[in-house]
Amino acid sequence: MTQRLKRTELALAAQMIQAGELVAFPTETVYGLGADATNAAAVKKVYAAKGRPSDNPLIVHVSSFEQVKKYAVLPNDYAATLVKAFWPGPLTLILPIKHGALDPIVTGGLKTAAFRMPRNQLTRDLIDLAGVPLVGPSANTSGKPSPTLADHVLHDLSGKIAGVLDDGPTDVGVESTVLDLSVVPPVILRPGAVTREMLLQYIPDVLDNHHHVAKDEIPKAPGMKYKHYAPNAQVYIVNSTDPDKFQSAVKWGLAQNQEVGLLATDAIIASQHLLRFKNQFSLGEDIQSASHQLFDGLRYFDLNPEIKLIIAQGFPRQGLGEAYMNRLEKSAGSEYLQIDDQQVSVIRE
Ligand code: TXA
Ligand code: MG
């Protein structure tokens, strides 16, 4: 049985970690699946519980920058500068590691490792209390949307892990920015709430490299080659703020004798023709709320097996919109609907 642990049960959570068991923990991005990063047998269980391929390395969660220096080599001043600016927060740094400092099960056999200090105080207290850094991939079944609530964790992993430390809904809703500092110039491997624009202030030549990776290419972030965030239904993205286009898209879906889910902002959902449409989930009003709600929304439609098709709203690829669209595109397999004069066509970008 998986225990739902309250804030007051932090000591029990720390004991479970020390005993080599798995405890999911809250962060400002998504819930992570925690194990003692220095215990290879415990880390192995993380891959098994998630069904995660073992060549996809894990993030090491720390409660101080000092902890990072135990394992990593700092090739330049960027790490110290960025830590000062963004930690604790949703920025993961890839750094070269000291030889033998971390088990290959953590790093997927790479000579680098990913480090991050989460903003959630409870989780930093857990790291301090357990006395070890925690590996923490998102606490979902591999391929499913990441968990933003303890309920999502229990839905996917109940019976497979010892506990989940419940601290309510996460804040940002999409996973951290992953920045590779082991190369010059540094490269953004995964967009997140620490945006390209924010990083440019510290690294003027920072590169973007989070676009699609073909199956036979060796990806920089191993996680990029796998299917991700996929609900049971096929997701189609509509890049528009025009309620008429969403109405056409829903009609198009229903015309295929399919139950349709609509994942869109209040402005779309509240429009006259869609107000009474029953299978809808609100993304709130802006890119912040949309990022916060995205995974919960995708999971919501999984509760109704009749829904075979989800129409989801796209956002401009700026700021947090980069991260939102990166996740949404993966969940949709990059399928878009193009709508001109109520004519709907599927395009793949
Ligand atoms: O917000 C987050 O980052 C959440 C919370 C729980 O902290 N964690 C998370 O972990 O999203 P995960 O395992 O789902 O994603 C980690 C990503 C993967 O794409 C992985 O391939 C990449 O980081 N990664 C880890 N170590 C790496 C390394 N040494 N080099 C390149 N990419 C690495
Ligand atoms: Mg993940």
Side-chain angles (χ1 to χ4, degrees), residues 213-219 225:
V213 179
K215 275 230 166 65
D216 49 355
E217 249 179 274
I218 297 180
K225 71 180 173 199

Side-chain angles (χ1 to χ4, degrees), residues 119-132:
R119 199 186 289 150
N120 188 290
Q121 184 64 52
L122 191 64
T123 287
R124 280 186 283 142
D125 290 346
L126 174 65
I127 296 168
D128 285 340
L129 213 55
V132 287

